């Protein structure tokens, strides 16, 4: 019972902590805009210096060494089975490869930022397990402060019952609060700048981020490659002054897939462009070049299907409870809007291919479609671009080259110009 009481205290702390995060969220965003403020704040975050697993497939213990005690929240998620630790923003200085190997009930774990001010550790479990205990120990006997998570094997029924209301994740507190006030905008930065600004909105969506690294090639991770690209595209588009450009993320933060779609919809975006850089399992050969994807219920080929599956896993990777995602409204109006939107998405994809192929190496079949969750806004034309394969040496050289990036950004900006000029002309004629 003592651990139960502890749990309650922790939960109460977590609520306070979440409230603090909510407030710090806004300040963190404005602080990020003034470059000098960020490094100062970064040095104050607790540091996690080591992590270890002990035990067996019945009971497994995870220990994280810290430089100060922290408040946290622990909860479990089903399908796939995961355990999640939500922490205040932590600077992870764990050895390279930490979390890739498992032990006992833990297959592997990931860690990183899920929002400004909030970090998360997600454990992939081998099967249903309950969080038997979770606590923070003060420094003692030459040991640093430690966060301890104890997992115990249970059957599925017990596991599902243990997902009680109080242990249900609120996902990101900022999102929960925004949803509650019916203004489903994750952070202040995503609010429209001014209602008087009638320029079309282009949403650029650098894939992955924070706890979700995307694909990895040596020291280069997809999340940072696509962020650099997205920011360059933003700068190029903003220079023309014709559009208002909204980024789904401008730093190394995790954004759930549903939120990316929500940002595009809340902004009544004229176009949504998601940026990724794929990798191919070795056995599937050595594909190369850029590919442009649109949404389809049926994948255009096996590779497109595999890729959509991989990209759709982002929420599970980031510890978002998939069962809590609102189900799509099956409505005839949405269906009609979707059909029109898909026609526009396909038109943009073809335009984009036409522009890109003059400057960039394209995949041998550059236009494909599959069920990407991030492309599901029923009213915003959306495409997902895989810039190239980080698993291909030549593509990777391009992806990290500033010259290549600049040329590719140029051809994409050209395609966006052509697409939106036509759309706006048509819209104007209709009025
Ligand atoms: Zn990706």
């Amino acid at each position: 019972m003592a651990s139960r009481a502890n749990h309650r205290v922790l939960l109460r702390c977590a609520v306070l902590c979440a409230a603090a995060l909510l407030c710090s969220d806004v300040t963190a965003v404005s602080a990020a805009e003034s470059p000098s403020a960020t490094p100062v704040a970064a040095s104050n975050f607790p540091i996690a210096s080591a992590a270890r697993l002990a035990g067996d497939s019945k009971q497994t213990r995870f220990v994280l060494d810290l430089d100060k005690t922290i408040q946290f929240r622990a909860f479990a998620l089903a399908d796939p089975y995961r355990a999640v630790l939500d922490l205040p923003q932590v600077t992870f200085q764990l050895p390279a490869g930490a979390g890739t190997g498992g032990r006992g009930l833990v297959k592997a774990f990931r860690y990183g930022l899920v929002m400004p001010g909030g970090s998360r550790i997600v454990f992939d479990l081998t099967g249903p397990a309950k969080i038997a205990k979770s606590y923070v120990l003060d420094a003692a006997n030459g040991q640093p402060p430690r966060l301890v998570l104890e997992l115990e094997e249970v059957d599925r029924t017990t596991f599902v019952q243990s997902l009680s209301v109080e242990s249900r994740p609120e996902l990101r507190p900022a999102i929960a609060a925004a949803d509650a006030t019916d203004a489903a905008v994750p952070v202040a930065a995503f609010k429209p700048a001014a209602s008087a600004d009638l320029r079309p909105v282009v949403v650029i969506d650098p894939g992955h981020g924070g706890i979700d690294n995307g694909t990895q090639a040596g020291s280069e991770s997809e999340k940072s490659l696509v962020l650099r690209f997205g920011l360059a595209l933003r700068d190029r588009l903003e220079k023309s002054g014709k559009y208002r450009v909204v980024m789904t993320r401008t730093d190394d933060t995790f954004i759930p897939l549903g939120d990316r779609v929500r940002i595009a919809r809340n902004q009544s975006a004229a176009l949504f462009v998601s940026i990724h850089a794929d990798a191919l399992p070795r056995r599937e050969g050595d594909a190369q070049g850029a590919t442009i994807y649109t949404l389809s219920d049926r994948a255009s080929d096996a590779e497109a299907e595999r890729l959509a599956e991989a990209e759709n896993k982002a929420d599970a990777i980031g510890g978002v409870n998939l069962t809590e995602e609102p189900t799509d409204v099956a409505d005839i109006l949405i269906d009609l809007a979707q059909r029109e939107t898909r026609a526009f998405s396909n038109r943009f994809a073809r335009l984009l291919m036409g522009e890109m192929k003059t400057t960039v190496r394209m995949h041998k079949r550059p236009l494909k479609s599959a069920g990407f969750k991030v492309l599901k806004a029923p009213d915003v034309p959306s495409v997902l671009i895989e810039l190239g394969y980080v698993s291909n040496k030549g593509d990777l050289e391009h992806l990290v080259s500033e010259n290549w990036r600049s040329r590719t950004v140029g051809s994409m900006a050209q395609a966006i110009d052509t697409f939106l000029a036509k759309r706006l002309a048509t819209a104007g004629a209709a009025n």
Side-chain angles (χ1 to χ4, degrees):
M1 284 316 281
S3 81
R4 187 84 191 141
N6 271 342
H7 188 55
R8 287 240 173 78
V9 171
L10 278 169
L11 271 169
R12 201 159 303 137
C13 294
V15 171
L16 287 174
C17 179
L21 283 173
L22 250 183
C23 303
S24 69
D25 211 20
V26 178
T27 41
V29 166
S30 55
E33 279 160 7
S34 82
S36 62
T38 317
V40 180
S43 62
N44 291 334
F45 297 128
I47 294 167
S49 53
R52 55 199 169 275
L53 287 162
D56 52 34
S57 59
K58 297 271 172 237
Q59 287 179 315
T60 307
R61 172 184 293 208
F62 168 80
V63 181
L64 184 71
D65 288 348
L66 297 155
D67 69 334
K68 56 182 95 163
T69 58
I70 55 172
Q71 293 176 338
F72 71 98
R73 189 174 63 142
F75 55 89
L77 292 172
D79 310 317
Y81 296 114
R82 286 155 295 163
V84 177
L85 287 171
D86 266 345
L87 320 169
Q89 185 160 346
V90 166
T91 304
F92 288 99
Q93 294 177 352
L94 305 183
T100 49
R103 180 174 178 145
L105 292 161
V106 175
K107 245 192 277 184
F109 66 87
R110 302 172 289 280
Y111 50 89
L113 208 60
V114 282
M115 62 176 161
S119 293
R120 178 174 285 181
I121 304 175
V122 181
F123 302 86
D124 293 325
L125 305 178
T126 54
K130 72 166 185 186
I131 296 166
K133 278 181 195 164
S134 59
Y135 47 90
V136 168
L137 294 168
D138 289 324
N141 307 323
Q143 296 249 52
R146 281 147 293 158
L147 190 164
V148 182
L149 176 75
E150 293 183 10
L151 298 165
E152 254 174 48
E153 185 191 37
V154 289
D155 58 37
R156 177 163 173 97
T157 313
T158 315
F159 178 84
V160 172
Q161 281 165 357
S162 75
L163 300 177
S164 61
V165 178
E166 65 172 16
S167 70
R168 291 287 277 276
E170 298 310 317
L171 306 183
R172 305 185 308 152
I175 296 288
D179 277 343
T181 56
D182 212 17
V185 182
V187 288
F190 297 138
K191 286 196 179 119
S195 52
D197 190 344
L198 296 173
R199 292 175 298 168
V201 174
V202 177
V203 174
I204 300 172
D205 173 49
H208 312 279
I211 190 167
D212 173 16
N213 291 324
T215 54
Q216 190 81 30
S219 60
E220 286 292 344
S221 62
E222 178 183 0
K223 67 172 180 180
S224 44
L225 283 172
V226 298
L227 178 60
R228 261 180 276 159
F229 191 95
L231 291 170
L233 180 60
R234 175 195 67 182
D235 293 348
R236 179 72 62 106
L237 290 174
E238 277 183 345
K239 219 190 264 174
S240 77
K242 285 189 265 188
Y243 318 110
R244 196 155 62 74
V245 184
V246 174
M247 304 286 294
T248 55
R249 66 181 183 98
T250 53
D251 58 16
D252 186 20
T253 303
F254 174 79
I255 312 282
L257 295 171
D259 288 356
R260 298 172 191 258
V261 176
R262 234 164 272 147
I263 289 164
R265 301 200 64 201
N266 287 341
Q267 298 283 345
S268 309
L271 189 61
F272 175 89
V273 180
S274 192
I275 315 274
H276 289 257
D278 195 12
L280 207 60
R282 215 155 252 157
R283 61 191 155 80
E284 287 183 34
D286 191 25
Q288 58 182 38
T291 315
I292 301 160
Y293 289 89
T294 49
L295 178 67
S296 167
D297 301 327
R298 204 178 294 167
S300 53
D301 60 31
E303 196 199 329
E305 189 169 1
R306 174 197 64 80
L307 184 74
E309 245 167 55
E311 298 293 7
N312 288 347
K313 267 189 200 138
D315 283 350
I317 289 168
V320 174
N321 197 355
L322 297 173
T323 56
E324 289 202 348
E325 276 290 298
T327 47
D328 292 331
V329 188
D331 187 291
I332 184 95
L333 288 174
I334 288 191
D335 189 53
L336 281 172
Q338 209 145 27
R339 230 176 285 172
E340 197 196 40
T341 301
R342 283 188 194 188
F344 280 118
S345 303
N346 292 333
R347 184 184 300 172
F348 176 64
R350 283 193 301 273
L351 266 170
L352 188 57
M353 182 188 67
E355 285 298 337
M356 283 178 77
K357 73 177 181 202
T358 62
T359 45
V360 184
R361 179 164 71 180
M362 300 297 286
H363 188 272
K364 59 181 188 298
R365 289 191 48 217
L367 285 183
K368 293 188 182 190
S369 57
F372 292 91
K373 278 190 191 158
V374 81
L375 300 180
K376 285 196 171 164
D379 41 9
V380 182
S382 305
V383 302
L384 182 147
I385 299 155
E386 296 282 348
L387 293 170
Y389 291 84
V390 297
S391 48
N392 176 273
K393 198 164 162 276
D395 274 7
L396 185 59
E397 274 167 20
H398 286 156
L399 289 166
V400 298
S401 143
E402 198 143 329
N403 182 283
W404 181 90
R405 191 182 312 136
S406 168
R407 275 188 294 132
T408 312
V409 157
S411 59
M412 282 171 71
Q414 183 57 54
I416 292 170
D417 267 348
T418 311
F419 175 72
L420 290 179
K422 250 189 212 163
R423 263 211 98 172
L424 295 174
T426 323
N431 285 333

